[in-house]
Amino acid sequence: MEQILESLSHFWGYTGFANCTWQHLVMILIGIGFITVAILKEWEPLLLVPIGFGMIIGNIPMFPGLNISIYEEGSVLNTLYQGVRMGWYPPLIFLGIGAMTDFSALISQPRLILIGAAAQVGIFGAYLLALASGFAPNEAGAIGIIGGADGPTAIFLSSKLAPDLMGAIAVSAYSYMALVPVIQRPIMLALTTKKERVIRMPKPRQVSQREKIIFPVVGFLITAFIVPSGLPLLGMLFFGNLLKESGVTRRLAETARGPMIDVVTTLIGLTVGASTQADKFLSSRSVLIFGLGLLSFVIATASGVLFVKLMNIFIRNPEKKINPLIGNAGVSAVPDSARVSEVVGREVDPSNHLLMHAMGPNVAGVIGSAVAAGILLSFLG
């Protein structure tokens, strides 16, 4: 009997109940919260469901040394996590994004690329704020990229500059991507007048297939020569787009934008969520990162809207004015930011459709965030 009790006591020591702390429970509740809003509100469910369940997996209390934890070398989770830690997953995500992106709106209105560039001010603004908050330059650069509203880019840069902060940065970036409609709408309304919101933009010109094929090649050469360090992201983005537009690699394009990106998105979400172990995630620095991430997102949105207002000062022809409501789409949350432009615009004028115009700065923002990441990596890597 005594031996049985001793065995039971030994077994108890290995259970999650015996090793549980309040921090584990907090993180599990946060994970459940992510899953709940993803299902009930349908906020980025393809991202928040894997991240939320990953948080639950990563915070199951366990006896140390079982070789199960995501941070224990050789464990299954640790092997899957290498795609995040070594930066393998983000370029594959960008390949899929390129294969599903139509750059026609940008090609037909090249001036809209300036809006995508202006929105990247949020990245560098947050970088300065993070420096002022006491973060090291490399950590500040990784935090700043949250303002680009691009989860894969945030993961790629933080894996190079601040691996220890990757969990907080990635969760922050994906959280704010899911909250795009909530965060951006009040900023857009506060910075624009009713007269500006009803501006009608001319219909974009029709883009030829030849232009669509030339664009990814020329776009890649220009951006890669400017920022060679952005090659992994930019190369895969434009390569994926070439697969889509060439017309002769349809199977590859469909694989890239379908099964492949689905698998990688699932793995990246699950492992990023699992990396938020309570002992590493629950800290004042994580809270500060979330705050700086929100500020960077706000600055990026405001910068895009205000830059359009500035552009309109120099556009004399009233028919060529740009509706400032598409300025928010300069962040690279594709296509959610563009949809917000459409929704807010139609609240004022139901017959005014801005989606086709907003997609221009939106896809420009994808390129811009990758370029910004390359710049930060060049100086801080």
Side-chain angles (χ1 to χ4, degrees):
M1 186 65 180
E2 188 175 325
Q3 187 175 3
I4 293 175
L5 292 175
E6 185 178 343
S7 298
L8 289 174
S9 175
H10 186 69
F11 171 75
W12 173 258
Y14 280 91
T15 65
F17 298 105
N19 294 281
C20 186
T21 65
W22 67 267
Q23 291 96 333
H24 289 113
L25 297 178
V26 168
M27 290 305 303
I28 289 172
L29 288 175
I30 292 174
I32 293 172
F34 270 55
I35 296 172
T36 302
V37 298
I39 294 173
L40 297 182
K41 298 291 186 180
E42 295 188 14
W43 289 347
E44 294 288 350
L46 298 181
L47 296 173
L48 294 192
V49 169
I51 290 175
F53 199 79
M55 285 181 171
I56 297 173
I57 290 175
N59 285 282
I60 296 298
M62 63 185 67
F63 191 84
L66 294 178
N67 203 32
I68 295 174
S69 166
I70 196 168
Y71 292 109
E72 292 181 301
E73 292 291 334
S75 70
V76 174
L77 282 176
N78 181 264
T79 301
L80 295 176
Y81 188 56
Q82 296 308 304
V84 173
R85 194 172 69 85
M86 303 300 294
W88 303 335
Y89 293 152
L92 294 176
I93 294 279
F94 263 66
L95 176 63
I97 292 173
M100 66 174 65
T101 300
D102 186 352
F103 285 103
S104 297
L106 184 60
I107 298 171
S108 65
Q109 303 179 82
R111 62 180 180 167
L112 298 183
I113 198 170
L114 297 175
I115 304 173
Q120 307 314 311
V121 169
I123 293 174
F124 297 100
Y127 168 69
L128 296 176
L129 289 173
L131 282 178
S133 301
F135 286 95
N138 60 315
E139 294 174 334
I143 293 169
I145 205 67
I146 297 172
D150 190 334
T153 304
I155 290 173
F156 178 79
L157 192 63
S158 58
S159 70
K160 306 297 182 185
L161 298 181
D164 292 341
L165 302 180
M166 189 189 306
I169 291 171
V171 172
S172 177
Y174 280 120
S175 298
Y176 293 133
M177 285 173 64
L179 293 172
V180 161
V182 178
I183 298 173
Q184 289 197 318
R185 184 178 180 277
I187 299 171
M188 295 160 66
L189 293 176
L191 296 178
T192 57
T193 64
K194 185 175 181 179
K195 182 180 179 181
E196 289 173 327
R197 293 176 210 145
V198 297
I199 292 176
R200 287 179 174 270
M201 297 174 63
K203 185 178 179 180
R205 69 175 179 83
Q206 192 71 26
V207 177
S208 69
Q209 189 64 28
R210 178 178 294 180
E211 289 176 289
K212 291 182 180 181
I213 294 173
I214 292 174
F215 179 78
V217 177
V218 174
F220 171 67
L221 288 173
I222 293 173
T223 54
F225 268 81
I226 294 173
V227 191
S229 53
L231 183 65
L233 299 180
L234 292 167
M236 297 298 262
L237 175 70
F238 286 115
F239 174 52
N241 189 245
L242 182 61
L243 293 178
K244 172 183 179 292
E245 302 296 355
S246 67
V248 294
T249 53
R250 187 171 292 106
R251 283 175 53 193
L252 299 181
E254 289 176 354
T255 299
R257 65 173 173 254
M260 190 202 72
I261 198 171
D262 289 343
V263 169
V264 178
T265 299
T266 302
L267 291 176
I268 204 171
L270 191 69
T271 53
V272 163
S275 71
T276 61
Q277 288 187 359
D279 59 334
K280 298 180 180 293
F281 188 81
L282 282 182
S283 66
S284 58
R285 280 163 67 88
S286 295
V287 175
L288 186 55
I289 288 170
F290 268 78
L292 291 170
L294 178 60
L295 283 175
S296 69
F297 201 91
V298 170
I299 294 171
T301 301
S303 298
V305 174
L306 293 174
F307 185 75
V308 175
K309 292 165 71 79
L310 178 64
M311 288 178 69
N312 282 340
I313 294 175
F314 298 96
I315 299 174
R316 299 302 180 186
N317 187 344
E319 295 183 357
K320 294 186 177 181
K321 296 280 188 181
I322 303 173
N323 192 314
L325 290 179
I326 73 169
N328 74 295
V331 301
S332 64
V334 180
D336 292 338
S337 291
R339 287 175 182 158
V340 174
S341 304
E342 169 80 1
V343 170
V344 177
R346 293 190 67 186
E347 288 176 359
V348 184
D349 181 359
S351 63
N352 189 13
H353 297 280
L354 297 174
L355 183 61
M356 68 185 86
H357 304 289
M359 284 304 298
N362 209 184
V363 296
V366 177
I367 300 172
S369 66
V371 170
I375 292 172
L376 291 170
L377 193 58
S378 298
F379 285 95
L380 304 173

